[in-house]
Amino acid sequence: MKVRVHVSLKPGVLDPQGRAIHHSLEGLGFSGVRDVRAGRLIELDVDDATSDEALDEMCRKLLANMVIENYRIEKVPAAEASA
Amino acid sequence: MKVRVHVSLKPGVLDPQGRAIHHSLEGLGFSGVRDVRAGRLIELDVDDATSDEALDEMCRKLLANMVIENYRIEKVPAAEASA
């Protein structure tokens, strides 16, 4: 089973990486960009028997820093994963 | 308009960060993890008038390294973005 974990900074947390990307986009001449936030995407390939609780625990213990980050778990349908 | 850009390494490209995460998950006692790949998630807030071509160009010029990475652009529906 393929699982995507989206980790993003909580609102209000300073994001220097996002600001650098924003600045660079403007430097390249792209106008109309109002805000940029940088996060992480972690793709896991786990056994089908893996429970939601186990996935949740992986995120809380290792993948996300719960003090400053939020996470979202997305299970990828088999059809999309093999495409 | 909120746009999410998912940047992930192309298949076959060595991913030391993903391997370190995999190793740590096993060290924490999580079994059943077969593979881990680490990528980036970039959330953009752009003007509604921004064209798909402009978004594509941002990815190719700055957000992704086309030699070793793939990207996927996902437009976030307004309802979800404000939630």
Side-chain angles (χ1 to χ4, degrees), chain A residues 1 4 6 21 24 30 32-39 41-47 58 62-63 72, chain B residues 1 4 6 21 24 30 32-39 41-47 58 62-63 72:
Chain A
M1 175 174 62
R4 284 195 201 111
H6 303 78
I21 295 171
S24 297
F30 294 106
V33 179
R34 288 192 289 240
D35 192 29
V36 181
R37 304 281 286 174
L41 171 71
I42 300 155
E43 293 177 308
L44 303 170
D45 185 1
V46 296
D47 286 343
M58 290 181 201
L62 182 72
L63 304 181
R72 189 164 57 84
Chain B
M1 177 173 61
R4 285 196 199 110
H6 302 79
I21 295 171
S24 297
F30 294 106
V33 179
R34 288 192 290 240
D35 191 30
V36 180
R37 304 282 286 173
L41 171 70
I42 300 153
E43 293 176 307
L44 304 169
D45 184 2
V46 296
D47 286 342
M58 289 181 203
L62 181 73
L63 305 181
R72 188 165 58 85

Side-chain angles (χ1 to χ4, degrees), chain A:
Chain A
M1 175 174 62
K2 293 257 185 193
V3 177
R4 284 195 201 111
V5 177
H6 303 78
V7 180
S8 53
L9 284 170
K10 289 185 179 178
V13 177
L14 216 65
D15 181 5
Q17 194 187 355
R19 250 165 72 176
I21 295 171
H22 191 173
H23 191 82
S24 297
L25 284 173
E26 286 176 341
L28 285 170
F30 294 106
S31 57
V33 179
R34 288 192 289 240
D35 192 29
V36 181
R37 304 281 286 174
R40 290 195 306 284
L41 171 71
I42 300 155
E43 293 177 308
L44 303 170
D45 185 1
V46 296
D47 286 343
D48 289 350
T50 307
S51 67
D52 289 0
E53 288 72 33
L55 291 172
D56 224 53
E57 210 182 328
M58 290 181 201
C59 292
R60 276 183 285 110
K61 280 199 175 166
L62 182 72
L63 304 181
N65 175 349
M66 295 307 298
V67 179
I68 56 168
E69 292 172 330
N70 287 325
Y71 66 88
R72 189 164 57 84
I73 295 172
E74 176 196 5
K75 293 185 180 181
V76 184
E80 193 190 325
S82 61

Side-chain angles (χ1 to χ4, degrees), chain B residues 8-14 37 65-70:
Chain B
S8 52
L9 284 170
K10 289 186 179 177
V13 177
L14 217 62
R37 304 282 286 173
N65 176 350
M66 295 308 296
V67 179
I68 56 168
E69 292 172 329
N70 287 326

